[in-house]
Coordinates of all heavy atoms in Angstrom, one line a residue:
M1 N 29.0 4.1 5.5 CA 27.7 4.7 5.7 C 27.2 4.9 4.2 O 26.0 4.6 4.0 CB 27.8 6.0 6.3 CG 26.5 6.6 6.6 SD 25.5 5.6 7.8 CE 24.6 6.9 8.6
A2 N 28.0 5.2 3.3 CA 27.5 5.5 1.9 C 27.0 4.2 1.3 O 26.1 4.2 0.5 CB 28.6 6.1 1.0
E3 N 27.7 3.1 1.6 CA 27.2 1.8 1.1 C 25.8 1.4 1.7 O 24.9 0.9 0.8 CB 28.2 0.7 1.4 CG 27.8 -0.6 0.9 CD 28.7 -1.8 1.3 OE1 29.9 -1.4 1.5 OE2 28.3 -2.9 1.2
F4 N 25.6 1.6 2.9 CA 24.3 1.4 3.6 C 23.2 2.3 2.8 O 22.1 1.8 2.5 CB 24.3 1.8 5.0 CG 23.0 1.6 5.7 CD1 22.4 0.4 6.0 CD2 22.2 2.9 5.9 CE1 21.1 0.3 6.5 CE2 21.1 2.7 6.6 CZ 20.5 1.5 6.8
E5 N 23.5 3.6 2.7 CA 22.5 4.4 2.1 C 22.2 4.1 0.6 O 21.1 4.2 0.1 CB 23.0 5.9 2.0 CG 23.1 6.4 3.4 CD 23.6 7.9 3.5 OE1 24.1 8.4 2.5 OE2 23.7 8.4 4.7
A6 N 23.3 3.6 -0.2 CA 23.0 3.1 -1.5 C 22.2 1.8 -1.5 O 21.2 1.8 -2.3 CB 24.4 2.8 -2.2
R7 N 22.3 1.0 -0.6 CA 21.5 -0.3 -0.5 C 20.1 0.1 -0.2 O 19.1 -0.5 -0.7 CB 22.1 -1.2 0.5 CG 23.4 -1.9 0.0 CD 23.7 -3.0 1.0 NE 25.0 -3.7 0.6 CZ 25.5 -4.7 1.2 NH1 24.9 -5.2 2.2 NH2 26.5 -5.3 0.6
M8 N 20.0 1.0 0.8 CA 18.6 1.4 1.2 C 17.9 2.1 0.0 O 16.7 2.0 -0.2 CB 18.6 2.3 2.4 CG 18.8 1.7 3.7 SD 17.7 0.3 4.1 CE 16.1 1.2 4.3
G9 N 18.6 3.0 -0.7 CA 18.1 3.6 -1.8 C 17.6 2.7 -2.9 O 16.6 2.7 -3.5
A10 N 18.4 1.6 -3.1 CA 18.1 0.5 -4.1 C 16.8 -0.2 -3.6 O 15.9 -0.5 -4.3 CB 19.2 -0.4 -4.3
L11 N 16.8 -0.5 -2.3 CA 15.6 -1.2 -1.7 C 14.3 -0.4 -1.9 O 13.2 -0.9 -2.0 CB 15.8 -1.6 -0.3 CG 16.8 -2.7 -0.1 CD1 17.1 -2.8 1.5 CD2 16.2 -4.1 -0.5
R12 N 14.5 1.0 -1.6 CA 13.4 1.9 -1.7 C 12.8 1.9 -3.0 O 11.6 1.9 -3.2 CB 13.9 3.4 -1.2 CG 12.8 4.2 -1.1 CD 13.3 5.6 -0.4 NE 12.2 6.6 -0.1 CZ 11.8 7.5 -0.8 NH1 12.3 7.8 -1.9 NH2 10.8 8.3 -0.3
E13 N 13.7 2.0 -4.0 CA 13.3 2.0 -5.5 C 12.5 0.7 -5.7 O 11.6 0.8 -6.5 CB 14.5 2.2 -6.4 CG 15.0 3.5 -6.4 CD 16.3 3.7 -7.5 OE1 16.4 2.8 -8.2 OE2 17.0 4.6 -7.2
R14 N 13.0 -0.5 -5.3 CA 12.3 -1.8 -5.5 C 10.9 -1.8 -4.9 O 10.0 -2.1 -5.4 CB 13.1 -2.9 -5.0 CG 14.3 -3.2 -5.9 CD 15.1 -4.4 -5.7 NE 14.7 -5.4 -4.8 CZ 15.5 -6.1 -4.0 NH1 16.8 -6.0 -4.0 NH2 14.9 -7.0 -3.2
F15 N 10.8 -1.1 -3.6 CA 9.6 -1.1 -3.0 C 8.6 -0.3 -3.8 O 7.4 -0.6 -3.9 CB 9.7 -0.5 -1.5 CG 8.4 -0.1 -0.9 CD1 7.6 -1.1 -0.4 CD2 7.9 1.3 -1.0 CE1 6.4 -0.8 0.1 CE2 6.6 1.5 -0.5 CZ 5.9 0.4 0.1
V16 N 9.0 0.9 -4.3 CA 8.2 1.8 -5.1 C 7.6 1.0 -6.2 O 6.5 1.2 -6.6 CB 8.8 3.1 -5.4 CG1 8.1 3.8 -6.5 CG2 9.1 4.0 -4.1
A17 N 8.5 0.4 -7.0 CA 8.1 -0.4 -8.2 C 7.1 -1.5 -7.8 O 6.0 -1.7 -8.4 CB 9.3 -1.0 -8.8
R18 N 7.2 -2.1 -6.7 CA 6.4 -3.1 -6.2 C 5.1 -2.5 -5.8 O 4.0 -3.1 -6.1 CB 7.0 -4.0 -5.1 CG 6.1 -5.2 -4.7 CD 6.7 -5.9 -3.5 NE 6.0 -5.4 -2.4 CZ 6.5 -5.2 -1.2 NH1 7.8 -5.5 -1.0 NH2 5.8 -4.6 -0.2
A19 N 5.2 -1.5 -5.1 CA 4.0 -0.8 -4.5 C 3.1 -0.3 -5.6 O 1.8 -0.3 -5.6 CB 4.3 0.3 -3.6
R20 N 3.7 0.2 -6.8 CA 2.9 0.6 -7.9 C 2.2 -0.5 -8.5 O 0.9 -0.4 -8.8 CB 3.7 1.2 -9.0 CG 4.3 2.5 -8.7 CD 5.1 3.1 -9.9 NE 5.7 4.4 -9.5 CZ 5.0 5.4 -9.3 NH1 3.8 5.5 -9.5 NH2 5.7 6.6 -9.0
G21 N 2.8 -1.7 -8.7 CA 2.1 -2.9 -9.1 C 1.0 -3.4 -8.2 O -0.2 -3.8 -8.6
E22 N 1.2 -3.3 -6.9 CA 0.3 -3.6 -5.8 C -0.9 -2.7 -5.9 O -2.2 -3.1 -5.6 CB 0.8 -3.8 -4.5 CG 1.8 -5.0 -4.4 CD 2.5 -5.1 -3.1 OE1 2.5 -4.1 -2.2 OE2 3.2 -6.1 -2.8
A23 N -0.8 -1.5 -6.2 CA -1.9 -0.5 -6.3 C -2.8 -0.9 -7.4 O -4.1 -0.7 -7.3 CB -1.3 0.9 -6.5
K24 N -2.2 -1.4 -8.4 CA -3.1 -1.9 -9.5 C -3.9 -3.1 -9.0 O -5.1 -3.2 -9.4 CB -2.3 -2.3 -10.7 CG -1.7 -1.1 -11.4 CD -0.7 -1.5 -12.5 CE -0.1 -0.2 -13.2 NZ 0.9 -0.7 -14.1
L25 N -3.4 -3.9 -8.1 CA -4.0 -5.1 -7.7 C -5.1 -4.7 -6.7 O -6.2 -5.3 -6.6 CB -3.1 -6.1 -7.1 CG -2.3 -6.9 -8.0 CD1 -1.2 -7.8 -7.2 CD2 -3.2 -7.8 -8.8
V26 N -4.8 -3.6 -6.0 CA -5.8 -3.1 -5.0 C -7.1 -2.8 -5.7 O -8.2 -3.1 -5.3 CB -5.3 -1.8 -4.2 CG1 -6.3 -1.1 -3.5 CG2 -4.2 -2.3 -3.1
A27 N -6.9 -2.0 -6.8 CA -8.0 -1.7 -7.7 C -8.8 -2.9 -8.1 O -10.2 -2.9 -8.2 CB -7.6 -0.8 -8.8
V28 N -8.2 -3.8 -8.7 CA -8.7 -5.0 -9.2 C -9.5 -5.8 -8.0 O -10.7 -6.1 -8.2 CB -7.7 -6.0 -9.8 CG1 -8.4 -7.4 -10.1 CG2 -7.2 -5.4 -11.0
Y29 N -8.9 -6.0 -7.0 CA -9.5 -6.7 -5.9 C -10.7 -5.9 -5.3 O -11.7 -6.5 -5.0 CB -8.5 -6.9 -4.6 CG -7.4 -7.9 -5.0 CD1 -6.2 -7.8 -4.3 CD2 -7.4 -8.9 -6.0 CE1 -5.2 -8.6 -4.5 CE2 -6.5 -9.7 -6.2 CZ -5.3 -9.6 -5.5 OH -4.2 -10.5 -5.9
A30 N -10.7 -4.6 -5.2 CA -11.7 -3.9 -4.7 C -12.8 -3.9 -5.7 O -13.9 -4.0 -5.3 CB -11.3 -2.4 -4.5
G31 N -12.6 -3.9 -7.0 CA -13.6 -3.9 -8.1 C -14.3 -5.2 -8.0 O -15.4 -5.3 -8.3
N32 N -13.6 -6.3 -7.7 CA -14.1 -7.6 -7.7 C -14.8 -7.9 -6.3 O -15.2 -9.0 -6.1 CB -13.1 -8.6 -8.1 CG -12.7 -8.6 -9.5 OD1 -13.3 -8.0 -10.4 ND2 -11.5 -9.1 -9.8
N33 N -14.8 -6.9 -5.4 CA -15.1 -7.1 -4.0 C -14.4 -8.4 -3.4 O -15.2 -9.2 -2.5 CB -16.7 -7.3 -4.0 CG -17.1 -7.0 -2.5 OD1 -16.6 -6.4 -1.7 ND2 -18.3 -7.7 -2.2
D34 N -13.1 -8.6 -3.6 CA -12.3 -9.7 -3.1 C -11.7 -9.1 -1.8 O -10.6 -8.8 -1.8 CB -11.3 -10.2 -4.0 CG -10.6 -11.5 -3.5 OD1 -10.7 -11.8 -2.3 OD2 -10.0 -12.1 -4.3
R35 N -12.5 -9.2 -0.8 CA -12.0 -8.5 0.5 C -10.8 -9.3 1.3 O -10.0 -8.6 1.8 CB -13.2 -8.4 1.5 CG -14.2 -7.3 1.1 CD -15.4 -7.0 2.1 NE -16.1 -5.9 1.7 CZ -16.5 -5.1 2.6 NH1 -16.4 -5.3 4.0 NH2 -17.3 -4.0 2.2
T36 N -10.8 -10.5 1.0 CA -9.8 -11.3 1.5 C -8.4 -11.0 0.9 O -7.5 -10.7 1.7 CB -10.1 -12.8 1.4 OG1 -11.3 -13.1 2.1 CG2 -9.0 -13.6 2.0
A37 N -8.3 -11.0 -0.4 CA -7.2 -10.7 -1.1 C -6.7 -9.2 -0.9 O -5.5 -8.8 -0.7 CB -7.2 -11.0 -2.6
L38 N -7.9 -8.3 -0.8 CA -7.5 -6.9 -0.6 C -7.0 -6.6 0.8 O -6.0 -5.9 1.0 CB -8.8 -6.1 -0.8 CG -8.7 -4.6 -0.5 CD1 -7.7 -4.0 -1.5 CD2 -10.1 -4.1 -0.8
S39 N -7.5 -7.3 1.8 CA -7.0 -7.3 3.3 C -5.5 -7.8 3.2 O -4.7 -7.1 3.9 CB -7.9 -8.1 4.1 OG -7.4 -7.9 5.4
D40 N -5.2 -8.9 2.6 CA -3.9 -9.5 2.7 C -2.9 -8.5 2.0 O -1.7 -8.2 2.5 CB -3.9 -10.8 2.0 CG -4.5 -11.9 2.8 OD1 -4.9 -11.7 3.9 OD2 -4.9 -12.9 2.2
L41 N -3.2 -7.9 0.9 CA -2.3 -7.0 0.3 C -2.2 -5.7 1.0 O -1.1 -5.2 1.2 CB -3.0 -6.7 -1.2 CG -2.1 -5.9 -2.2 CD1 -0.7 -6.4 -2.3 CD2 -2.9 -5.7 -3.4
C42 N -3.3 -5.3 1.6 CA -3.2 -4.0 2.4 C -2.3 -4.3 3.6 O -1.6 -3.4 4.1 CB -4.5 -3.4 2.7 SG -5.3 -2.6 1.3
H43 N -2.4 -5.4 4.2 CA -1.6 -5.7 5.5 C -0.1 -5.7 5.1 O 0.7 -5.1 5.8 CB -2.1 -7.2 5.9 CG -1.3 -7.6 7.1 ND1 -1.6 -7.1 8.3 CD2 -0.1 -8.3 7.1 CE1 -0.8 -7.8 9.2 NE2 0.2 -8.4 8.5
S44 N 0.2 -6.3 3.9 CA 1.6 -6.1 3.5 C 2.0 -4.7 3.2 O 3.1 -4.4 3.7 CB 1.8 -7.0 2.3 OG 3.0 -7.0 1.7
L45 N 1.3 -4.0 2.6 CA 1.7 -2.6 2.3 C 1.8 -1.8 3.5 O 2.7 -1.0 3.7 CB 0.7 -1.9 1.4 CG 0.7 -2.0 -0.1 CD1 -0.4 -1.5 -0.8 CD2 2.0 -1.3 -0.6
A46 N 0.8 -2.0 4.5 CA 0.8 -1.2 5.7 C 2.1 -1.5 6.5 O 2.7 -0.7 7.2 CB -0.4 -1.6 6.6
G47 N 2.5 -2.8 6.4 CA 3.7 -3.2 7.2 C 5.1 -2.7 6.6 O 6.1 -2.6 7.3
T48 N 5.1 -2.5 5.4 CA 6.4 -2.1 4.7 C 6.6 -0.6 4.3 O 7.6 -0.1 4.2 CB 6.6 -3.0 3.4 OG1 5.5 -2.9 2.6 CG2 6.9 -4.4 3.9
A49 N 5.4 0.0 4.0 CA 5.5 1.4 3.4 C 6.3 2.3 4.4 O 7.1 3.1 4.0 CB 4.2 1.8 3.2
G50 N 6.1 2.2 5.7 CA 6.6 3.1 6.6 C 8.1 3.0 6.7 O 8.9 3.9 6.9
M51 N 8.6 1.8 6.4 CA 10.1 1.5 6.5 C 10.9 2.2 5.5 O 11.9 2.6 5.6 CB 10.4 0.0 6.3 CG 9.9 -0.8 7.4 SD 10.5 -2.5 7.5 CE 9.9 -3.2 5.9
F52 N 10.1 2.5 4.4 CA 10.8 3.2 3.3 C 10.3 4.7 3.2 O 10.6 5.4 2.1 CB 10.5 2.5 1.9 CG 11.1 1.1 1.9 CD1 10.3 0.0 2.2 CD2 12.5 1.0 1.8 CE1 10.9 -1.2 2.2 CE2 13.0 -0.3 1.8 CZ 12.2 -1.4 2.0
G53 N 9.7 5.2 4.2 CA 9.3 6.7 4.2 C 8.0 7.1 3.6 O 7.7 8.2 3.5
F54 N 7.3 6.0 3.5 CA 5.9 6.3 3.0 C 4.8 6.1 3.9 O 3.9 5.3 3.7 CB 5.7 5.5 1.7 CG 6.7 5.8 0.6 CD1 7.7 4.8 0.4 CD2 6.8 6.9 -0.2 CE1 8.6 5.0 -0.6 CE2 7.7 7.2 -1.0 CZ 8.7 6.2 -1.3
S55 N 4.9 6.8 5.1 CA 3.9 6.6 6.1 C 2.5 6.8 5.7 O 1.6 6.1 6.3 CB 4.4 7.4 7.4 OG 4.4 8.8 7.1
A56 N 2.3 7.8 4.9 CA 0.8 8.0 4.4 C 0.4 6.9 3.7 O -0.9 6.5 3.8 CB 0.8 9.3 3.7
L57 N 1.1 6.3 2.8 CA 0.7 5.0 2.1 C 0.4 4.1 3.0 O -0.7 3.3 2.9 CB 1.7 4.7 1.0 CG 1.5 3.5 0.2 CD1 0.2 3.6 -0.7 CD2 2.6 3.1 -0.6
G58 N 1.3 3.8 3.9 CA 1.0 2.7 4.9 C -0.2 2.9 5.8 O -1.0 1.9 6.1
E59 N -0.4 4.2 6.3 CA -1.6 4.4 7.0 C -3.0 4.3 6.2 O -3.9 3.7 6.7 CB -1.6 5.9 7.5 CG -2.8 6.3 8.3 CD -2.9 5.6 9.7 OE1 -1.9 5.0 10.0 OE2 -4.0 5.6 10.2
A60 N -2.8 4.6 4.9 CA -4.0 4.5 4.1 C -4.4 3.0 3.9 O -5.5 2.5 3.9 CB -3.9 5.1 2.7
A61 N -3.3 2.1 3.7 CA -3.5 0.7 3.6 C -4.0 0.2 4.9 O -4.9 -0.8 4.9 CB -2.1 0.0 3.2
R62 N -3.6 0.6 6.1 CA -3.9 0.1 7.3 C -5.5 0.4 7.4 O -6.3 -0.3 8.0 CB -3.2 0.7 8.4 CG -3.6 0.1 9.8 CD -3.1 0.9 11.0 NE -3.6 2.3 10.9 CZ -4.8 2.7 11.3 NH1 -5.8 1.8 11.7 NH2 -5.1 4.0 11.2
K63 N -5.8 1.6 7.0 CA -7.3 1.9 7.1 C -8.1 1.0 6.3 O -9.3 0.6 6.7 CB -7.5 3.3 6.8 CG -7.0 4.4 7.7 CD -7.2 5.8 7.2 CE -6.8 6.8 8.2 NZ -7.0 8.2 7.6
V64 N -7.7 0.7 5.1 CA -8.5 -0.3 4.2 C -8.6 -1.6 5.0 O -9.6 -2.3 5.0 CB -7.9 -0.5 2.9 CG1 -8.5 -1.5 2.1 CG2 -8.0 0.9 2.0
E65 N -7.4 -2.1 5.5 CA -7.4 -3.4 6.2 C -8.4 -3.4 7.4 O -9.1 -4.3 7.6 CB -6.0 -3.7 6.6 CG -5.9 -5.1 7.3 CD -4.6 -5.4 7.8 OE1 -3.7 -4.4 8.0 OE2 -4.4 -6.5 8.2
D66 N -8.3 -2.4 8.3 CA -9.1 -2.2 9.3 C -10.7 -2.1 8.9 O -11.6 -2.7 9.6 CB -8.9 -0.9 10.1 CG -7.6 -1.1 10.9 OD1 -7.0 -2.1 11.0 OD2 -7.1 0.0 11.5
A67 N -11.0 -1.4 7.8 CA -12.4 -1.4 7.4 C -12.9 -2.8 7.0 O -14.0 -3.2 7.3 CB -12.4 -0.4 6.2
I68 N -12.1 -3.5 6.4 CA -12.4 -5.0 6.0 C -12.7 -5.8 7.3 O -13.7 -6.4 7.4 CB -11.4 -5.6 5.1 CG1 -11.4 -4.9 3.8 CG2 -11.7 -7.0 4.8 CD1 -10.2 -5.2 2.9
D69 N -11.7 -5.6 8.2 CA -11.9 -6.3 9.5 C -13.1 -6.0 10.1 O -13.7 -6.9 10.8 CB -10.6 -6.1 10.4 CG -9.3 -6.7 9.9 OD1 -9.3 -7.5 9.1 OD2 -8.2 -6.3 10.4
W70 N -13.5 -4.8 10.2 CA -14.8 -4.4 10.7 C -16.1 -4.5 9.8 O -17.1 -4.0 10.3 CB -14.6 -2.9 11.3 CG -13.7 -2.9 12.5 CD1 -12.4 -2.6 12.4 CD2 -14.1 -3.2 13.8 NE1 -11.8 -2.6 13.6 CE2 -12.9 -3.0 14.6 CE3 -15.2 -3.4 14.4 CZ2 -12.8 -3.1 15.9 CZ3 -15.1 -3.6 15.8 CH2 -14.0 -3.4 16.6
N71 N -15.9 -5.1 8.7 CA -17.0 -5.3 7.8 C -17.7 -4.0 7.4 O -18.9 -3.9 7.5 CB -18.0 -6.4 8.3 CG -18.8 -6.9 7.3 OD1 -18.4 -7.0 6.1 ND2 -20.0 -7.4 7.6
A72 N -16.9 -3.1 7.0 CA -17.5 -1.8 6.7 C -18.4 -1.7 5.5 O -18.1 -2.8 4.7 CB -16.2 -0.8 6.4
A73 N -19.2 -0.9 5.3 CA -20.2 -0.9 4.3 C -19.3 -0.7 2.9 O -18.1 0.0 3.0 CB -21.0 0.4 4.4
E74 N -19.8 -1.1 1.9 CA -19.0 -1.0 0.6 C -18.6 0.4 0.2 O -17.5 0.6 -0.2 CB -19.9 -1.7 -0.5 CG -19.1 -1.8 -1.9 CD -17.9 -2.8 -1.8 OE1 -17.8 -3.6 -1.0 OE2 -17.0 -2.6 -2.6
E75 N -19.5 1.3 0.4 CA -19.3 2.7 0.1 C -18.1 3.2 0.9 O -17.2 3.9 0.4 CB -20.5 3.6 0.3 CG -20.4 5.0 -0.1 CD -21.7 5.8 0.3 OE1 -22.7 5.5 -0.4 OE2 -21.6 6.8 0.9
R76 N -18.1 2.9 2.2 CA -16.9 3.4 3.0 C -15.6 2.8 2.5 O -14.6 3.4 2.5 CB -17.2 3.0 4.4 CG -16.1 3.2 5.5 CD -15.8 4.7 5.7 NE -14.8 4.9 6.7 CZ -14.0 5.8 6.7 NH1 -14.0 6.7 5.6 NH2 -13.0 5.9 7.5
L77 N -15.7 1.5 2.3 CA -14.5 0.8 1.8 C -14.1 1.4 0.5 O -12.8 1.5 0.4 CB -14.8 -0.8 1.6 CG -13.6 -1.6 1.1 CD1 -12.5 -1.5 2.2 CD2 -14.1 -3.1 1.0
Q78 N -14.9 1.6 -0.4 CA -14.4 2.2 -1.7 C -13.8 3.5 -1.5 O -12.9 3.9 -2.2 CB -15.6 2.2 -2.7 CG -16.0 0.8 -3.1 CD -15.0 0.0 -3.8 OE1 -14.0 0.6 -4.6 NE2 -15.0 -1.3 -3.6
G79 N -14.3 4.3 -0.7 CA -13.7 5.6 -0.3 C -12.3 5.5 0.3 O -11.4 6.2 -0.3
L80 N -12.2 4.5 1.1 CA -10.7 4.3 1.7 C -9.8 3.7 0.6 O -8.7 4.1 0.6 CB -10.9 3.4 2.8 CG -11.6 4.0 4.1 CD1 -11.8 2.9 5.1 CD2 -10.7 5.1 4.7
V81 N -10.4 2.9 -0.3 CA -9.6 2.4 -1.5 C -9.2 3.5 -2.3 O -8.0 3.6 -2.7 CB -10.3 1.3 -2.2 CG1 -9.6 1.0 -3.5 CG2 -10.4 0.0 -1.4
G82 N -9.9 4.5 -2.5 CA -9.7 5.7 -3.3 C -8.5 6.5 -2.7 O -7.7 7.0 -3.4
E83 N -8.6 6.6 -1.4 CA -7.5 7.3 -0.6 C -6.2 6.6 -0.9 O -5.1 7.2 -0.9 CB -7.8 7.5 0.9 CG -8.9 8.4 1.2 CD -9.4 8.5 2.6 OE1 -8.6 8.1 3.5 OE2 -10.5 8.9 2.9
L84 N -6.3 5.2 -0.7 CA -5.0 4.4 -0.8 C -4.5 4.6 -2.2 O -3.2 4.8 -2.4 CB -5.3 2.9 -0.5 CG -4.2 2.0 -0.8 CD1 -2.9 2.4 0.0 CD2 -4.8 0.5 -0.5
L85 N -5.3 4.5 -3.2 CA -4.7 4.7 -4.6 C -4.3 6.1 -4.8 O -3.3 6.3 -5.6 CB -5.8 4.4 -5.5 CG -6.4 2.9 -5.5 CD1 -7.6 2.8 -6.5 CD2 -5.2 2.0 -5.9
G86 N -4.8 7.1 -4.2 CA -4.4 8.5 -4.2 C -2.9 8.5 -3.7 O -2.1 9.2 -4.3
E87 N -2.7 8.0 -2.6 CA -1.4 7.9 -1.9 C -0.3 7.2 -2.8 O 0.7 7.6 -3.0 CB -1.3 7.3 -0.6 CG -2.1 8.1 0.5 CD -1.3 9.5 0.7 OE1 -0.1 9.5 0.6 OE2 -2.0 10.4 1.0
A88 N -0.8 6.0 -3.4 CA 0.1 5.3 -4.3 C 0.4 6.2 -5.5 O 1.5 6.1 -6.0 CB -0.6 4.0 -4.8
G89 N -0.5 7.0 -6.0 CA -0.2 7.9 -7.1 C 0.8 8.9 -6.8 O 1.4 9.5 -7.7
R90 N 1.1 9.1 -5.5 CA 2.0 10.2 -5.1 C 3.4 9.6 -4.9 O 4.4 10.2 -4.6 CB 1.7 10.8 -3.8 CG 0.4 11.7 -4.0 CD 0.1 12.4 -2.6 NE -1.2 12.6 -2.1 CZ -2.4 12.3 -2.4 NH1 -2.5 11.6 -3.5 NH2 -3.4 12.5 -1.8
L91 N 3.6 8.3 -5.1 CA 4.9 7.7 -5.0 C 5.8 8.3 -6.1 O 5.3 8.7 -7.2 CB 4.9 6.2 -5.3 CG 4.2 5.3 -4.2 CD1 3.9 3.9 -4.7 CD2 5.0 5.4 -3.0
P92 N 7.1 8.4 -5.9 CA 7.9 9.1 -6.8 C 8.0 8.2 -8.1 O 7.8 6.9 -8.1 CB 9.3 9.0 -6.1 CG 9.2 8.2 -4.9 CD 7.7 7.9 -4.7
Q93 N 8.3 8.9 -9.1 CA 8.4 8.2 -10.5 C 9.7 7.5 -10.5 O 10.8 7.9 -10.0 CB 8.4 9.2 -11.6 CG 7.1 10.0 -11.7 CD 6.0 9.1 -12.0 OE1 6.0 8.1 -12.8 NE2 4.8 9.2 -11.2
G94 N 9.6 6.3 -11.1 CA 10.8 5.5 -11.2 C 11.8 6.1 -12.4 O 11.5 7.1 -13.0
R95 N 12.9 5.4 -12.5 CA 13.9 5.9 -13.3 C 13.6 5.6 -14.7 O 13.0 4.6 -15.2 CB 15.2 5.1 -12.9 CG 15.8 5.7 -11.8 CD 17.1 4.9 -11.5 NE 17.5 5.3 -10.1 CZ 18.8 5.0 -9.8 NH1 19.7 4.7 -10.5 NH2 19.2 5.4 -8.5

């Protein structure tokens, strides 16, 4: 059991590092109004965040993806992106 927990801990740390980088890309894609890239990235985040205990991050990413799918107004989308970036900012600090 300890080996499994150690592996999951390492995977969680890798996810956090990757998610921090992806949050920077979210900001870039949103700033460039690249909805396709933003949707793809949020889809990936929404699918993986919950597996590592970051359900709020995953939910925020899902909301952005859904807003893009429904062609939400830019103001609404930017608000949701702000919420997603806020959740990403709450990720634990790396080593």
Side-chain angles (χ1 to χ4, degrees):
M1 187 68 151
E3 183 179 336
F4 173 77
E5 289 175 1
R7 286 185 180 188
M8 284 305 293
L11 287 173
R12 187 174 194 263
E13 286 180 20
R14 285 184 15 207
F15 169 78
V16 167
R18 190 186 90 215
R20 286 185 184 287
E22 288 178 351
K24 292 176 185 176
L25 287 175
V26 163
V28 169
Y29 294 155
N32 292 338
N33 199 29
D34 187 343
R35 288 182 173 219
T36 300
L38 182 57
S39 178
D40 290 346
L41 185 55
C42 287
H43 179 84
S44 175
L45 271 173
T48 56
M51 290 190 305
F52 295 103
F54 301 107
S55 58
L57 176 66
E59 180 65 17
R62 186 196 57 77
K63 287 180 181 180
V64 171
E65 181 186 13
D66 287 349
I68 293 168
D69 288 347
W70 287 96
N71 200 28
E74 187 64 23
E75 183 177 302
R76 173 73 176 140
L77 180 59
Q78 291 301 325
L80 293 170
V81 165
E83 290 176 21
L84 173 56
L85 294 175
E87 287 300 327
R90 293 188 223 356
L91 289 169
Q93 297 297 316
R95 291 180 187 196

